[in-house]
Amino acid sequence: MRLIVATVSVLSLLCIVSTNGSAQIKRTPAIPAAAPSRVFVKPADAELRKRLTRLQYSVTQNAATETPFHNEYWDNHEAGIYVDVVSGEPLFSSLDKYESGTGWPSFTRPLDPGNIKTKTDRLLGFSRTEVRSAAADSHLGHVFDDGPRPTGLRYCMNSAAMRFVPVSRLEAEGYGQYLALFNARTPAKASK
């Protein structure tokens, strides 16, 4: 158990690494009006353990941190959105994703600020700002103030807490209201 805690502590510290400031961020068009809100009831713990992988459960329910550079989305450059793996809440857009050099997917802002909440985390002996999903209360990662323009923020997220929905699947999966974001741009390599 101590090894796991030590590993998580070291990995969490790595997420604090500053960005190189040379990332190019493309301004995202205005976010479309939200679709009618979905009512989400968080499943019981036993159901979550069945539905999620061991890593997804550990990250979302116990605030674990996945390994940098060895996770599903740190190097994903496909156009689309990232949703909470537990609730499906839309969290981030590839249009706001950038190369932070940390080994975790990093974003300049949330897709819909109402779908996330933050709280102070002092697990490592100093204050950090933890990011959680609003409806499912899933641990997503942390936000730091060393990101590029236009926000100056770096939402350093765990891939295991999210599911990626490519632009081609947005309508079919109930996220059609976000198509307008991508129709205004060329979807290829929107996240570089």
Side-chain angles (χ1 to χ4, degrees):
M1 186 63 170
R2 286 185 185 171
L3 177 59
I4 291 171
V5 172
T7 302
V8 168
S9 296
V10 169
L11 292 175
S12 296
L13 285 173
L14 287 174
C15 196
I16 297 170
V17 174
S18 268
T19 61
N20 62 14
S22 65
Q24 293 181 348
I25 302 302
K26 297 175 182 160
R27 184 106 175 114
T28 303
I31 296 172
S37 61
R38 304 172 190 184
V39 176
F40 173 75
V41 176
K42 189 170 181 174
D45 189 67
E47 178 62 26
L48 285 175
R49 286 181 186 274
K50 281 190 233 175
R51 270 190 19 195
L52 302 174
T53 67
R54 177 179 269 160
L55 180 60
Q56 288 171 329
Y57 182 87
S58 185
V59 167
T60 61
Q61 305 307 299
N62 296 322
T65 300
E66 65 193 357
T67 306
F69 301 104
H70 296 283
N71 58 75
E72 192 169 2
Y73 303 126
W74 78 272
D75 198 28
N76 181 28
H77 299 287
E78 190 175 353
I81 66 171
Y82 296 82
V83 302
D84 184 321
V85 72
V86 174
S87 67
E89 294 166 87
L91 301 170
F92 299 95
S93 165
S94 63
L95 298 171
D96 298 311
K97 187 173 186 281
Y98 72 100
E99 299 296 331
S100 67
T102 63
W104 288 280
S106 297
F107 305 87
T108 58
R109 66 180 178 168
L111 184 57
D112 180 346
N115 289 345
I116 66 162
K117 59 186 179 180
T118 59
K119 72 177 199 176
T120 301
D121 166 354
R122 291 187 175 85
L123 291 174
L124 299 178
F126 57 91
S127 292
R128 297 182 299 170
T129 303
E130 179 187 13
V131 179
R132 299 185 76 84
S133 63
D137 195 35
S138 299
H139 170 76
L140 304 172
H142 292 85
V143 62
F144 302 97
D145 62 3
D146 62 358
R149 289 185 205 149
T151 66
L153 298 175
R154 173 172 52 99
Y155 285 85
C156 187
M157 302 294 103
N158 287 284
S159 292
M162 303 182 296
R163 182 175 67 82
F164 179 72
V165 181
V167 169
S168 63
R169 299 279 313 147
L170 290 177
E171 190 71 49
E173 293 195 28
Y175 301 103
Q177 73 270 26
Y178 296 105
L179 277 170
L181 294 174
F182 299 96
N183 288 339
R185 318 187 114 209
T186 306
K189 293 209 174 201
S191 62
K192 253 309 192 179

